[in-house]
Each structure stands twice: as structure tokens, then as C-alpha cells.
Amino acid sequence: MGTALKKSCSTARYNGDGRLPIEDLYRAFSVLEEAGWVREEIVVSKRERDGVPLEFPIVSFRTIGKGSAVWILSGIHGEEPAGPNALAEGVDYIKKLGQETSVVLIPMCNPLGYMSNWRYLNAKTWTEGCEVHSVGDSGHVLPDLNNPMVPRAPKALSPESGALVKHVLRLAKDYPPVMSIDLHEDDLINEGYVYSQGSRNTIAMKIIDILAAKGVAIKMQGQTRFHERITNGIVSSTGDGSIDELLASERVIVGGKFVGGPHASVAIVVETPARAMSLAKRKDAHLEIIKNLNSFLRMET
Ligand SMILES: [Zn+2]
């Protein structure tokens, strides 16, 4: 999550933190397709930067078996590589999870951002007050916080966010999320925390334990840098317009009409403190969460 990062995008590939090259990520996830999972290109993310055309597909994978599903997302923000790298390393755990339950995996939601260590699709630099677009923006289908009869945003803020929201709403019908986990980071914080929306906090509490056991400092009480209240390492607030709010939503607005939303029993967002730890350690912490997804499922059902 988060919005305020003074950096700029570039056509140069960023690997200053030891992240895997983007092609290695695509290769790692192709194991799932070989195991019979359905691979679908949600949209090709395209931008021209400094006269250089760049394009990479945003890809989702799902088990053939439909039904109540675990949803796993990562890479919404390009400067947060721990999740996508952990998913690539732990892809066999995901594959095994798919033998027990239905799974939807969208492991790298913002490939152009990952490649260049940059978050926003519409702005090369960030300055105070400028409007910036995230791949996960879902406001165009989420009810307005003041007037819930209309959507929070008149239209999708980018082709990527429009396609991602459409994909999520379509797949949620056949793969209703029993739990969704979105792996994020924040490079402006020294202590991590977890967002949890939905009816149960037990999984969020378990994730806090896992992160702490892997050496991640946790902000147990206080506020996030967006002034959200943290209790025991968990933020329960919503209304941020993210894809995670969408996944938790009971109702959404599509084409001017209310329709059923994905309504995940629990929608979790993990935030590891990228300023405080090396990528290798953050990746290990995310990997430990991935290894435990099975046990979360037993807690939830
Ligand atoms: Zn993030």
C-alpha cells in the first residue's frame, strides 16, 4: 500500500536489491501451466518510456477445479519485489496447495513496475498532490464512501486496473475467494504490519507470528503512515479503493447496477518493512507465509 515515494521510472532494469530478472519470474510460474493449471493473460501492460516501447503481460493462473478458492496476489507495486520473488521460489508449495483446494494466483500484477522498481503507470515522478494510478485501483466498481449509490471513481484509471478488476470479478464467480492474500512491502517503514478485512482476524494474527519468527519487526500498536489504526499488528480499516477492498466487497457497482462482489471471508495484505531488511530476508518471510497457506485454510474452514 502507500503512495508517497519520490523516485522515478526508467527504462533501465533495476536489480540493485538482487531481485530476480522478470523473465525468471515468468519462467518460474510456467511450472503451474505444465501442471495443468489454466494460464490467462489479463492484459498486456504497455508503456513508452523515453521513446522505448515496453510491454509485458499481466498473467493469472488458476486450478482447473472450480469452487471456493484461495486467492494470492502480489507485485501490485513495482518497488515491492519480495512477494513476487517468494512466489517464484515457492511455486511448488502453490502447486501443492492447488491439489487440496482451488487457487487463483496473480503473482506479478505490475510487471513494468517490477522491471523498473517503480509503482505508477501514469507518472514518471511523484510529487506532493499529483494524481497517481496504481494497477490495483478499483474505485470505479466500489461504492462511494459518502454516496454509496454511485461508484467512487467514474472510470478505471488505467487499462491495467480496468482489466484486472474485470478479471477478478469474472473469476470470483467460479472461484469465490474464501481467503485472499496480497503480498506487499513498504520501503518507507522499519516495522511491518498486516491489513485484514472480513470476518476473521485469526489468519492475520498467525501471519504476524510468522513474520515475527522470521525476524521482521512488527508495529504492534499505533498508526500506519496513512494514519490507520494498528492493533496487535493488524489494521482492520477499509475504504482504500484497492483490489483487496474489492476482494472483500459484498456488493459492487458494474455498469450502473449493483451486483454481488467477491466477498472474501478474509482479505489480507502483508506489509514488510523494506527499509529495515534486505530483500533476501523479506523474501524468506513472505515464503514462510506461502508455506503456511495450507494451515490457514484449515483455520478458516
Ligand atoms: Zn504496496
Side-chain angles (χ1 to χ4, degrees):
M1 300 234 168
T3 53
L5 291 166
K6 264 187 191 167
K7 293 178 183 171
S8 65
C9 73
S10 148
T11 53
R13 291 182 175 231
Y14 181 84
N15 63 0
D17 52 8
R19 69 183 62 188
L20 290 173
I22 195 166
E23 290 81 3
D24 288 12
L25 292 184
Y26 284 109
R27 205 171 301 124
F29 300 126
S30 67
V31 166
L32 296 172
E33 206 181 353
E34 288 156 19
W37 290 42
V38 180
R39 176 188 189 272
E40 185 175 342
E41 281 191 17
I42 298 171
V43 68
V44 176
S45 187
K46 291 181 199 172
R47 291 293 181 286
E48 193 176 291
R49 287 183 185 158
D50 306 326
V52 179
L54 295 169
E55 56 177 77
F56 285 99
I58 302 173
V59 181
S60 101
F61 300 88
R62 60 187 183 268
T63 50
I64 288 186
K66 297 174 180 174
S68 293
V70 175
W71 284 60
I72 308 158
L73 291 84
S74 195
I76 294 273
H77 298 143
E79 77 281 22
E80 303 174 3
N85 279 252
L87 286 166
E89 189 171 324
V91 71
D92 284 338
Y93 292 98
I94 307 284
K95 197 166 80 178
K96 266 188 212 139
L97 182 67
Q99 290 164 358
E100 287 195 25
T101 185
S102 304
V103 179
V104 174
L105 170 71
I106 313 177
M108 194 172 31
C109 294
N110 182 1
L112 293 183
Y114 179 89
M115 196 205 78
S116 58
N117 198 39
W118 178 241
R119 175 177 303 196
Y120 304 114
L121 295 163
N122 68 320
K124 285 189 172 186
T125 55
W126 182 89
T127 50
E128 186 77 41
C130 72
E131 187 186 307
V132 282
H133 301 166
S134 161
V135 171
D137 290 326
S138 304
H140 58 290
V141 297
L142 294 170
D144 187 87
L145 296 174
N146 297 315
N147 178 8
M149 299 310 289
V150 299
R152 215 171 294 171
K155 60 182 175 58
L157 293 176
S158 67
E160 288 85 353
S161 59
L164 189 57
V165 164
K166 216 172 184 177
H167 183 78
V168 166
L169 290 178
R170 176 165 62 81
L171 256 56
K173 288 178 187 157
D174 287 335
Y175 298 81
V178 63
M179 115 176 124
S180 71
I181 297 215
D182 189 356
L183 301 173
H184 279 250
E185 307 202 74
D186 190 330
D187 64 0
L188 296 180
I189 57 174
N190 291 318
E191 296 172 304
Y193 54 89
V194 167
Y195 290 90
S196 177
Q197 298 179 54
S199 52
R200 295 180 65 173
N201 263 354
T202 47
I203 295 173
M205 287 159 71
K206 177 72 183 161
I207 288 175
I208 292 292
D209 289 346
I210 289 170
L211 292 175
K214 294 302 285 183
V216 178
I218 302 295
K219 191 170 180 80
M220 292 301 284
Q221 311 293 338
Q223 287 195 340
T224 69
R225 64 187 178 89
F226 312 105
H227 311 296
E228 301 145 322
R229 190 153 68 102
I230 303 174
T231 307
N232 299 323
I234 299 167
V235 180
S236 301
S237 65
T238 176
D240 60 4
S242 65
I243 200 85
D244 314 292
E245 185 186 347
L246 173 64
L247 279 158
S249 291
E250 194 171 352
R251 291 202 308 167
V252 296
I253 304 172
V254 177
K257 291 182 185 154
F258 280 101
V259 297
H263 202 197
S265 310
V266 60
I268 298 225
V269 176
V270 177
E271 296 280 358
T272 48
R275 189 163 73 178
M277 300 174 76
S278 68
L279 173 56
K281 285 194 171 152
R282 282 143 42 210
K283 186 242 336 170
D284 277 351
H286 285 256
L287 184 58
E288 198 61 24
I289 294 169
I290 293 163
K291 289 179 184 175
N292 277 278
L293 288 173
N294 264 339
S295 64
F296 300 163
L297 198 65
R298 283 191 285 276
M299 289 164 67
E300 186 56 25
T301 52

